[in-house]
Amino acid sequence: MRDADRLAEIQDRAAKATDGWQTSDTDPGVVNTADGQPIAVFGGSRQDHHDAAFTAHARADMDYLLREVLALRSELAATTGQLQRLDGELVRLRDENRAYERDLAIPGEDAA
């Protein structure tokens, strides 16, 4: 699977997911919808509380990370385009410089 396809699938899943999850005020091992309805119940251990917090923030975190990936890809594409243009300009200037060096060569001298 291409990266672009995978990113599109992730965006689709994130867009379809319920927004506004939060950990319960009374039980940190429970993840609630925005209107307070339990949507996921973890155990009562410290790790379960961490897992619940991760789950509760997953949608918002994914939205943020997807925006960041898209912005970085756009920036990379722009930078790559600039580098390609500069590379072309460098080749042109090297060719031009070689032509000037040939024009300035004194007959009978060895070329360096």
Side-chain angles (χ1 to χ4, degrees), residues 81-94:
Q82 289 173 343
L83 287 173
Q84 288 172 341
R85 285 188 294 280
L86 289 171
D87 188 49
E89 181 68 6
L90 180 60
V91 168
R92 185 190 67 75
L93 290 171
R94 282 183 182 155

Side-chain angles (χ1 to χ4, degrees), residues 18-34:
T18 303
D19 198 11
W21 290 359
Q22 56 200 6
T23 52
S24 170
D25 292 334
T26 58
D27 185 352
V30 175
V31 177
N32 292 331
T33 61

Side-chain angles (χ1 to χ4, degrees), residues 14-91:
K16 291 176 181 175
T18 303
D19 198 11
W21 290 359
Q22 56 200 6
T23 52
S24 170
D25 292 334
T26 58
D27 185 352
V30 175
V31 177
N32 292 331
T33 61
D35 62 358
Q37 298 301 311
I39 195 164
V41 179
F42 293 85
S45 74
R46 179 177 296 227
Q47 184 59 51
D48 291 328
H49 295 183
H50 294 307
D51 292 343
F54 178 83
T55 302
H57 292 92
R59 168 66 195 272
D61 291 348
M62 284 302 299
D63 288 344
Y64 169 80
L65 292 171
L66 286 167
R67 283 192 308 272
E68 194 67 19
V69 166
L70 293 173
L72 290 170
R73 283 185 173 189
S74 176
E75 188 176 321
L76 177 61
T79 302
T80 299
Q82 289 173 343
L83 287 173
Q84 288 172 341
R85 285 188 294 280
L86 289 171
D87 188 49
E89 181 68 6
L90 180 60
V91 168

